[in-house]
Amino acid sequence: MTKLGILLSGRGSNFLAIAESIRLGHIDAEIALVVSNREDAPGITAAQALGLPTLVLPSQGRKRQEHDEAVVDALRRAGAEWIVLAGYMRLLSPWFVHQFAGRILNIHPSLLPAFPGLDAQKQAFDYGVQFSGCTVHFVDEHLDHGAIILQKSVPVLPTDDEHTLADRILVLEHIAYSEALALVLSGKYRVEGRRVLPL
Ligand code: GRF
C-alpha cells in the first residue's frame, strides 16, 4: 500500500477528509507520517487522536532548505512515497521538490492560475469573480504553479461574503483532494506538458 506523508500547518480539515477517504477504502494508501511546522496546529492534535505517527518540526527562524532537510529525513524514515500538502503554509525549497519529483500534491482554494498565494478566497471575492473553486495540482518549484490534476468550481452568490465563499469552496476541497489522490495513486494518468490526462 502506498505510504503518504502529510504536511500541514493549521486546521487540518483536508488531512482529515483524506484520512476518512482512506478509512472508507476510497483511497488505497496509508498515512505514514503527519508533519507540522507549527506546534499549535489543530491538525497535528487531530492526527494524534487518530493514532497516526506525527512530528512537529518548527520552521520559524530556520533556513528554508535546512528545515526541509529535516522534514525530508523524517519522511524518508517513515517510508513516505507521496507527499500531500494539506494547508502547509511554507514554500518548499527546490531541493525538497526534487527529492519527491512528480510525487507532491497541493490543494489551493481558487481556480488557478487565478489568485495564487495567501487569502485566495478573499482575493477572488474582492475581484468580483462569479465563479471560483479549488485546484489540486502537482507541486513544482514555483508557488501554486505545477500541472493541474483536478479543479472544481462554485458560483459566487450575491449573498456571499468572503467567509461563506470560503466555506463553500472548502466542502469541494475535501472531495477534490481525495479524488485527485485516488487518480494519481492508481497511476492511470499521463502528463503532457502542463496537462494531466486520464489513461
Ligand atoms: C485550504 O483552504 C487549502 O486549500 C489551503 O489551505 C487551507 C487548509 O485548510 N492550501 P485545512 O487546514 O485543510 O482545513
Side-chain angles (χ1 to χ4, degrees):
M1 211 183 296
T2 308
K3 293 189 171 191
L4 305 180
I6 309 268
L7 305 192
L8 54 77
S9 306
R11 184 175 56 181
S13 73
N14 278 287
F15 146 64
L16 285 170
I18 290 165
E20 180 64 3
S21 290
I22 291 173
R23 193 185 70 80
L24 292 170
H26 298 161
I27 303 174
D28 190 23
E30 67 182 277
I31 295 173
L33 184 63
V34 182
V35 181
S36 172
N37 66 324
R38 288 196 194 150
E39 229 153 338
D40 56 354
I44 211 76
T45 314
Q48 285 160 354
L50 289 177
L52 293 169
T54 61
L55 183 65
V56 177
L57 288 170
S59 58
Q60 207 178 13
R62 291 194 77 182
K63 286 196 179 127
R64 191 174 306 283
Q65 185 165 330
E66 191 184 288
H67 179 256
D68 279 0
E69 282 170 10
V71 174
V72 167
D73 183 55
L75 290 167
R76 288 211 189 286
R77 282 171 197 271
E81 298 156 283
W82 282 77
I83 309 304
V84 177
L85 306 186
Y88 190 59
M89 303 303 284
R90 197 165 161 92
L91 190 63
L92 299 187
S93 61
W95 177 81
F96 189 137
V97 174
H98 188 70
Q99 300 307 304
F100 291 93
R103 284 178 292 131
I104 310 176
L105 269 57
N106 183 41
I107 188 157
H108 184 74
S110 77
L111 295 175
L112 289 171
F115 315 118
L118 290 176
D119 295 325
Q121 305 96 326
K122 180 175 176 357
Q123 288 187 57
F125 182 80
D126 290 348
Y127 196 90
V129 296
Q130 296 190 356
F131 287 88
S132 192
C134 63
T135 304
V136 184
H137 63 92
F138 286 111
V139 171
D140 66 11
E141 286 82 358
H142 307 287
L143 181 68
D144 301 328
H145 177 265
I148 292 169
I149 300 165
L150 198 153
Q151 294 187 304
K152 287 191 186 288
S153 62
V154 298
V156 182
L157 305 177
T159 48
D160 268 335
D161 59 29
E162 71 195 64
H163 305 291
T164 55
L165 175 61
D167 289 347
R168 192 165 333 104
I169 292 172
L170 191 63
V171 172
L172 285 191
E173 288 188 43
H174 297 160
I175 299 165
Y177 219 164
S178 291
E179 280 183 22
L181 253 175
L183 172 70
V184 298
L185 296 184
S186 76
K188 291 180 185 153
Y189 69 97
R190 66 185 197 282
V191 183
E192 278 181 17
R194 287 197 50 88
R195 302 185 72 209
V196 178
L197 301 164
L199 276 186

